[in-house]
Amino acid sequence: MKKVLLGTSAVALVGAYATTAGAAEWEVRIGGFMDQSIGYASSDVSVAGVELSDSVADFDGVDTLSNAEIIFRPGITLDNGLRFGVQVQLEANTSGDQIDESFASIDGSFGRILIGSENSAGSLTQIAAPSVALNGHNSGTLTAFIPFSGTAAGAEVGDDTFRGTLGSTFLENARNNDVGRITYFTPRLFGLQLGFSYARDFNEDNDAQANLADAYGDIIDLGANYTNSFSGIDIALSGRWGIIATTPDDDLTTLNQDESENPTVYGFGASVSAFGFTVGGSFAEQNNSPADDGTAFDIGVAYETGPWGFSFSYLSGENVDDGLADGAVVLGADETLDVFVGAVNYALADGVDLNLYGAYVDFEEDFSSEVALAPGEEVDGFIIGAGVALGF
């Protein structure tokens, strides 16, 4: 990111802080990214085994996808070596919030502390399959071209995509994404780093005190990763586990919320790099959060030489909606997702990349009962896209 020094008027705003830090002064770095892509997509939607006609479900054609953020990073390094920082991510394309993540950081020889709206330590330490695709297999962005999330022509399709097993191995427990939390990372010693996160409740960008008598709370996440090189071979390993320690009281329990079970999440990942090639993958599982329960794994290979990058990756996800109602087991939809993505990337300059990618997506849903599986919604399609990724 480019460094932008504060002007005279801006220095006055933080003068009190600079004074207490002695010779230290605040600086503000402003950066971010913008990804713009255009692609042709074609998909089919079926309900109960019957394909919908184009007059009912027509998702074919050329479309665009934009993803961009401006990131503000003020920081100050004290004479004793401690660094205090702030990060605020301003969304250019909103879908519910204008600010994505906002947190303060403290860095020193003891490690790193984050306080604010940010992903958990488990998610931040996750290692996954490599990909050079502008819109990859492990983020859910392909739903902009293929309608496998939300509603397609009035049919309810996958709803566990973002931070869930139908779209990623970077899970958040019961999908508690970017909630207010405190996170600590140890210094990296002999290649190993550990992380711990705690959040009281699910409030994101909201300082209201949640009532834990009828809501999940006390969210704990542990994460670790290890990176090292041996004779020109780079390896990376990760593992994570998390639990929601407080669940709703008995008398307030609703369908798909069993107070006797604490939602848990775990996962692991690995990658190996040598001679320009990287091979890697990851696995993640969500349990005891019935609307989100399932598994996901990805695997991929990438090759980089000079300004060129190539990759092929695959994600498989499953979501099983099950729970308890009046003591009886309730079986809901069993949803599966398969995503294949191939991509070529060319770096024109530092922070300027041209990208070409193709993807195939297959979403299937079955409704369970004690005697049979009834077909639900199905979506399958392909995308051919190109775009530019700008990072500054």
Side-chain angles (χ1 to χ4, degrees), residues 213-216 247-261 288-291 322-330:
D214 60 359
Y216 286 139
T247 58
D249 288 345
D250 291 3
D251 59 342
L252 296 173
T253 300
T254 59
L255 177 63
N256 289 340
Q257 282 188 310
D258 175 15
E259 79 287 347
S260 66
E261 300 288 353
N288 302 331
S289 175
D322 56 5
L324 297 178
D326 299 326
V329 176
V330 176

Side-chain angles (χ1 to χ4, degrees), residues 148-172:
F148 62 89
S149 177
T151 303
E156 291 293 329
V157 289
D159 57 3
D160 191 24
T161 303
F162 185 70
R163 300 296 181 189
T165 57
L166 276 183
S168 181
T169 60
F170 291 87
L171 305 184
E172 293 290 12

Side-chain angles (χ1 to χ4, degrees), residues 126-128 138 164 167-171 240 282-284 296-298 315:
Q126 178 77 33
I127 303 295
N138 206 337
S168 181
T169 60
F170 291 87
L171 305 184
R240 55 88 54 95
S282 61
F283 174 86
F297 75 87
D298 74 341
L315 172 76

